Amino acid sequence: MLPEQRKRTIVELVSERDGCSVEELSAELDVSKATIRRDLDALEEERLVERSHGGAVPVTAVGREQTYVQKEVQNLEAKTAIGERAATEIHDGQVVFFDSGTTTMQVAKRAPTDTAFIPVTNSPLLALELGKNADDVKLTGGTLRHRTRALVGPSAEAFMDRTNFDLLFLGTNGIAGDGSLTTPNEDEARIKELMVESAERVVLVTDETKFGERSFVEFASLADVDVLVTDAEPTGEIEEACAAADVTVGVEVPDDR
């Protein structure tokens, strides 16, 4: 396993298990404890994990927010599979809004190149990706949040107030058992709320790690969603919430499972 792939796997394991010891990671990845310690030190400098006594823990919490870079390396195979499936929802002539985020980035990477649609986004990173195949990409404008690379604030909100979209690819930090969709930041929550209000059809794209999670601010609910594209069948309360909201669930399992 290459060093960068190993570090990405470490971040995923630490996040999935809510913390790992050096011994666990050493055994799991079949490398020395010294190598794991060096990797953890490097990952902490990048703010991808937090060191704890004898190991590392995730950096997330209800009131705390991971950076775009942190999210980018987590569950990449799942997000890639989700992006492949979600991109099939795009049809000719549509105005399509792409919410900022690492899962929606995977949708943008797989958007059809033989279909004429108008892409819109509140993410400069997604705009650059979409611009590889589109003649024009529309940006909301606004203030760039460094942490998530999303455009927010009054200018972005004014753009949302006067526009409408055929299709929205929406991201979330959590889907609670009652069906609420949440995110850590109030400014981003407001933009997401306006996205949903302006869209004819909403496709929620998220991996299963968000199931049962609740973040700081609610911006919508499953009742506002038409399709959920994810990497595992929802169970328990999430399954019930999807059924109650009449959400179509599309599951795309990554190749590594």
Side-chain angles (χ1 to χ4, degrees):
M1 184 181 292
L2 296 173
E4 287 308 310
Q5 184 182 1
R6 184 178 67 242
K7 288 178 183 176
R8 193 178 77 196
T9 302
I10 288 172
V11 174
E12 291 181 352
L13 291 172
V14 169
S15 299
E16 290 170 2
R17 299 176 184 178
D18 200 28
C20 291
S21 68
V22 170
E23 288 78 10
E24 288 174 337
L25 292 168
S26 175
E28 184 91 22
L29 299 174
D30 195 26
V31 295
S32 70
K33 294 177 184 177
T35 297
I36 294 296
R37 290 190 186 97
R38 285 195 296 270
D39 285 348
L40 290 178
D41 288 341
L43 290 168
E44 184 175 48
E45 287 185 9
E46 297 177 51
R47 298 183 180 180
L48 296 174
V49 301
E50 287 183 2
R51 288 302 306 270
S52 64
H53 181 68
V57 296
V59 296
T60 56
V62 169
R64 296 174 65 187
E65 187 175 22
Q66 289 183 306
T67 65
Y68 185 94
V69 174
Q70 288 169 329
K71 295 177 183 177
E72 195 172 28
V73 299
Q74 295 175 356
N75 305 314
L76 183 58
E77 289 80 8
K79 292 174 182 178
T80 300
I82 290 167
E84 190 79 40
R85 165 63 179 81
T88 64
E89 297 287 334
I90 301 173
H91 300 297
D92 195 67
Q94 290 182 323
V95 178
V96 183
F97 196 102
F98 294 79
D99 186 10
S100 65
T102 55
T103 307
T104 48
M105 172 61 85
Q106 295 305 318
V107 184
K109 285 178 178 289
R110 286 153 185 81
T113 57
D114 58 350
T115 301
F117 69 97
I118 300 172
V120 190
T121 184
N122 66 324
S123 165
L125 292 178
L126 267 73
L128 290 172
E129 180 62 37
L130 292 161
K132 292 177 181 178
N133 296 305
D135 291 333
D136 296 295
V137 180
K138 299 192 181 297
L139 272 166
T140 62
T143 300
L144 181 66
R145 290 195 70 227
H146 178 73
R147 194 163 190 81
T148 59
R149 309 296 199 268
L151 293 168
V152 297
S155 295
E157 292 173 19
F159 177 94
M160 302 301 297
D161 281 335
R162 64 177 186 269
T163 51
N164 298 287
F165 321 109
D166 295 295
L167 180 65
L168 164 64
F169 292 111
L170 178 69
T172 186
N173 292 76
I175 306 176
D178 62 1
S180 61
L181 308 180
T182 55
T183 195
N185 181 264
E186 291 176 287
D187 290 335
E188 289 202 38
R190 178 56 181 156
I191 292 297
K192 288 175 180 287
E193 183 180 9
L194 292 171
M195 290 176 194
V196 172
E197 290 177 2
S198 298
E200 286 291 322
R201 182 173 169 83
V202 177
V203 178
L204 180 65
V205 290
T206 185
D207 62 78
E208 66 170 325
T209 64
K210 307 301 192 304
F211 293 173
E213 295 296 313
R214 189 187 295 274
S215 196
F216 182 48
V217 187
E218 181 177 348
F219 61 85
S221 75
L222 286 174
D224 301 304
V225 173
D226 297 286
V227 180
L228 167 63
V229 181
T230 185
D231 60 321
E233 288 285 353
T235 59
E237 288 184 326
I238 305 301
E239 181 182 18
E240 293 173 5
C242 287
D246 196 25
V247 174
T248 299
V249 179
V251 177
E252 195 69 29
V253 180
D255 294 335
D256 62 339
R257 292 188 191 167

